[in-house]
Amino acid sequence: GNTQTTSPTRTQTGTQTRRTIAFRFSSATVAHWRQHRNSIAPKASMTEALQSKLQQSGAWQHLANTLMQVIKEQPNDPLAIFESLSQAAEKNAVSAGSSVQLDAKDVAKAVEALGRTADALYKPPAKPVEGEEEDEPPTEEPVPTESWPFTRDLTKISSVFGCAGVNFGHEETYKLSLAINSFAVEQTKAENVYSSIRFFGKVLGTTRNYYIVECSKKEWDPPAEDTPLNGEPMGKGVNAREFWATNLSSPSDKWTKLPELRPELLKVAVHVRRLFTGDLEAEVKGYPYFKWKEAGYLRAQIAQITHETVVSPTGVYMKDEEEIGDNPDGVVVDPKFEKPRDMAAMLSAKMWCHHRPYIISELGMCSVPGTEDDDEEAAEAKKQMYYTEEILTTLDKSKRSAGTEKWRFSLCSALGVRPSLSEDAAVCAQSLVWPGAYCVVKGNVCVNVYVGNGLRKADRPPIPADPPTPAKEFKLVKEQEDPILMATAETVVQEAKEE
């Protein structure tokens, strides 16, 4: 059918001759080719349309994920377990956050089902039939908000934390705020009424972290009569407040009350240096031997941090000599306090003071035992045996602080330019003895918070303890000759002489 025509043309370029060959197709061939092209075009368009529809419905991606699952696992008989591979691919796609688009019919069905549910919700309840008693659902009486303890809104004071560089993030702050509010409601329902709840801070652990709240009461239950008093009772000294901890790793995590602090526990915990694990029932291994669980160690570290780093500007509190307040530390807020106009004046140790009592290291308590029943002279003589500090002692005179070398003061403002002239400026006091302890003052708000690993700053690198002195060796006894052997030897010698 094809005809080929050769029409030689000569172009004289020197001695070379160029031939041009032209191909011509018959009309039947051209018509056949056009018919074949037209038959292919609809199939290609149908394939593209089908592929587009599969991609829109998500089936194409699901098939690709299933094939990738086959390639990864490489089963012996993929056709036999193709359905399970398809389900695994769909599960992985959902867990990875991929979404599958629904077509118009599925959307219409979903909207119709939601409409029926909404209509059922808006319908009034059916009237009970005569002669039948209506089952009333159990109702739970709401807890009146007046009985709730005073709790600061963590979402609001988080901006004050930010001035010190402490930021939990929006999500974690919101979860923590809900957890504290839920804890307050649960304690109120359990008739465990607290007067105030304060967020102490966050103690970092190797596996999980601790979130801790500090709870105060106006009146504490007296100890049982048959229980010997070991240390300070609840509401006094190191046991002036209760502490609760949670990991906040899931919404179902409960708050756990930390044990009361005993002197023997605190005396040992002062010499222990070990990171927390996040498990209150874990053992605290190390030297010296700590026989209590991690809950006791955490309580001891919280007591040291609280009584050494909870500070406030001088003049905020005054001694409660008339006992008009319910603060267990014997202080009350001074209503006449006015913050200085020049916030740069707060960058001094004499402008800050401790409003928590001092822990006597030799006793593991804040008070000297046996002074309540003695007269003033005897009580004063017992107190002279130990170093004590009066409440509201300024940082430059306190043994706990010993001046500015144990504290760092900074001034910051949201404006960023000359914060000392800004009324919105914030002053931050940072402890250098307990890294992570901050006190931030902004306006009329004073907040103490701790975020750290719960360890005091090491003055020197850890040095293992010296081994105990070895015992003296026993005295060697002079060996004696065996009399039997000696008698036998003498007999042998004598018999030899006689022979």
Side-chain angles (χ1 to χ4, degrees):
N2 295 342
T3 58
Q4 177 177 341
T5 305
T6 304
S7 57
T9 58
R10 296 178 181 271
T11 303
Q12 192 69 25
T13 55
T15 59
Q16 296 181 352
T17 301
R18 184 179 64 185
R19 290 179 175 268
T20 302
I21 302 176
F23 295 91
R24 295 179 181 178
F25 297 95
S26 64
S27 57
T29 304
V30 175
H32 179 71
W33 178 80
R34 288 177 179 176
Q35 183 179 2
H36 180 66
R37 183 190 62 182
N38 295 336
S39 63
I40 293 176
K43 296 181 181 179
S45 60
M46 290 176 62
T47 304
E48 293 176 358
L50 179 60
Q51 182 178 354
S52 177
K53 186 177 180 179
L54 290 174
Q55 290 178 352
Q56 292 179 0
S57 64
W60 185 276
Q61 184 64 31
H62 176 67
L63 183 59
N65 294 338
T66 306
L67 293 177
M68 288 298 298
Q69 197 79 10
V70 173
I71 295 174
K72 290 181 180 179
E73 298 184 3
Q74 295 183 0
N76 297 329
D77 192 0
L79 293 177
I81 59 172
F82 187 80
E83 184 176 356
S84 60
L85 293 174
S86 176
Q87 293 177 357
E90 183 178 2
K91 183 179 180 181
N92 294 337
V94 172
S95 62
S98 60
S99 60
V100 179
Q101 298 182 359
L102 300 176
D103 55 4
K105 293 182 180 180
D106 295 335
V107 174
K109 291 180 180 179
V111 172
E112 184 179 357
L114 290 176
R116 290 195 300 267
T117 305
D119 294 340
L121 292 175
Y122 279 105
K123 286 182 180 180
K127 295 181 179 180
V129 182
E130 295 182 0
E132 295 183 0
E133 295 182 359
E134 183 180 2
D135 296 335
E136 296 183 359
T139 58
E140 185 177 357
E141 296 182 0
V143 180
T145 57
E146 292 80 4
S147 61
W148 289 10
F150 172 73
T151 307
R152 281 182 171 178
D153 189 358
L154 193 62
T155 58
K156 294 182 179 180
I157 63 175
S158 60
S159 59
V160 182
F161 294 162
C163 298
V166 178
N167 188 5
F168 298 106
H170 296 292
E171 183 178 355
E172 186 175 350
T173 302
Y174 182 69
K175 289 181 179 179
L176 185 58
S177 178
L178 293 179
I180 295 176
N181 292 336
S182 177
F183 168 76
V185 175
E186 290 178 359
Q187 295 302 315
T188 305
K189 290 181 179 179
E191 298 182 356
N192 190 14
V193 182
Y194 291 112
S195 59
S196 64
I197 297 177
R198 182 182 75 92
F199 176 63
F200 168 81
K202 177 180 179 181
V203 178
L204 307 178
T206 55
T207 57
R208 291 181 295 179
N209 304 323
Y210 290 120
Y211 298 86
I212 303 163
V213 292
E214 177 189 87
C215 304
S216 302
K217 272 187 180 182
K218 294 182 180 180
E219 296 181 0
W220 295 90
D221 297 333
E225 297 181 357
D226 55 347
T227 304
L229 182 60
N230 183 11
E232 294 173 310
M234 290 303 302
K236 301 292 182 181
V238 293
N239 291 318
R241 297 165 179 84
E242 280 184 346
F243 290 88
W244 295 68
T246 183
N247 297 119
L248 202 66
S249 57
S250 64
S252 61
D253 284 349
K254 300 296 182 180
W255 291 85
T256 305
K257 184 174 71 171
L258 300 180
E260 298 180 14
L261 192 58
R262 300 303 177 197
E264 61 272 12
L265 189 151
L266 183 58
K267 291 179 183 179
V268 179
V270 170
H271 303 283
V272 176
R273 186 174 181 84
R274 186 171 179 83
L275 294 175
F276 292 93
T277 62
D279 183 11
L280 294 175
E281 297 298 325
E283 296 182 358
V284 182
K285 299 179 181 180
Y287 182 82
Y289 173 69
F290 193 83
K291 64 179 181 180
W292 301 272
K293 300 295 183 181
E294 189 169 288
Y297 182 53
L298 177 63
R299 181 63 183 88
Q301 297 301 100
I302 290 175
Q304 297 180 69
I305 296 171
T306 302
H307 289 266
E308 292 189 25
T309 65
V310 173
V311 297
S312 60
T314 304
V316 173
Y317 292 96
M318 64 179 183
K319 292 184 179 180
D320 188 10
E321 298 178 354
E322 300 180 359
E323 298 183 357
I324 58 177
D326 56 354
N327 194 311
D329 302 322
V331 295
V332 65
V333 178
D334 188 358
K336 300 181 182 179
F337 172 75
E338 294 182 0
K339 66 176 183 178
R341 295 183 178 180
D342 186 9
M343 298 301 292
M346 298 291 295
L347 304 178
S348 175
K350 64 181 180 180
M351 298 298 294
W352 300 80
C353 66
H354 293 279
H355 60 267
R356 296 286 176 92
Y358 175 77
I359 298 179
I360 304 174
S361 58
E362 296 87 352
L363 302 177
M365 298 187 296
C366 296
S367 59
V368 180
T371 57
E372 294 82 3
D373 301 332
D374 299 338
D375 54 3
E376 294 184 0
E377 294 183 359
E380 191 65 25
K382 288 183 178 180
K383 290 181 180 179
Q384 293 295 332
M385 299 172 60
Y386 308 98
Y387 174 80
T388 58
E389 283 186 6
E390 293 290 335
I391 199 74
L392 302 181
T393 304
T394 57
L395 301 187
D396 59 335
K397 299 179 181 179
S398 174
K399 182 180 179 181
R400 289 176 278 185
S401 301
T404 56
E405 65 270 9
K406 293 188 178 182
W407 287 89
R408 177 186 296 154
F409 306 98
S410 58
L411 190 65
C412 59
S413 172
L415 301 177
V417 179
R418 301 191 68 180
S420 59
L421 303 179
S422 175
E423 297 181 356
D424 194 37
V427 184
C428 174
Q430 178 184 359
S431 174
L432 302 180
V433 180
W434 293 93
Y438 302 91
C439 178
V440 187
V441 177
K442 185 177 182 181
N444 296 326
V445 180
C446 179
V447 180
N448 286 272
V449 65
Y450 176 81
V451 180
N453 55 12
L455 299 180
R456 183 192 296 267
K457 182 181 178 181
D459 297 332
R460 55 186 177 86
I463 299 175
D466 296 333
T469 305
K472 296 182 179 179
E473 295 184 0
F474 60 93
K475 296 182 178 179
L476 297 177
V477 181
K478 186 177 181 181
E479 295 183 0
Q480 298 180 358
E481 297 180 355
D482 191 353
I484 299 176
L485 296 177
M486 291 296 297
T488 304
E490 291 178 357
T491 303
V492 172
V493 172
Q494 186 175 2
E495 292 179 353
K497 288 182 178 178
E498 291 179 355
E499 291 179 356

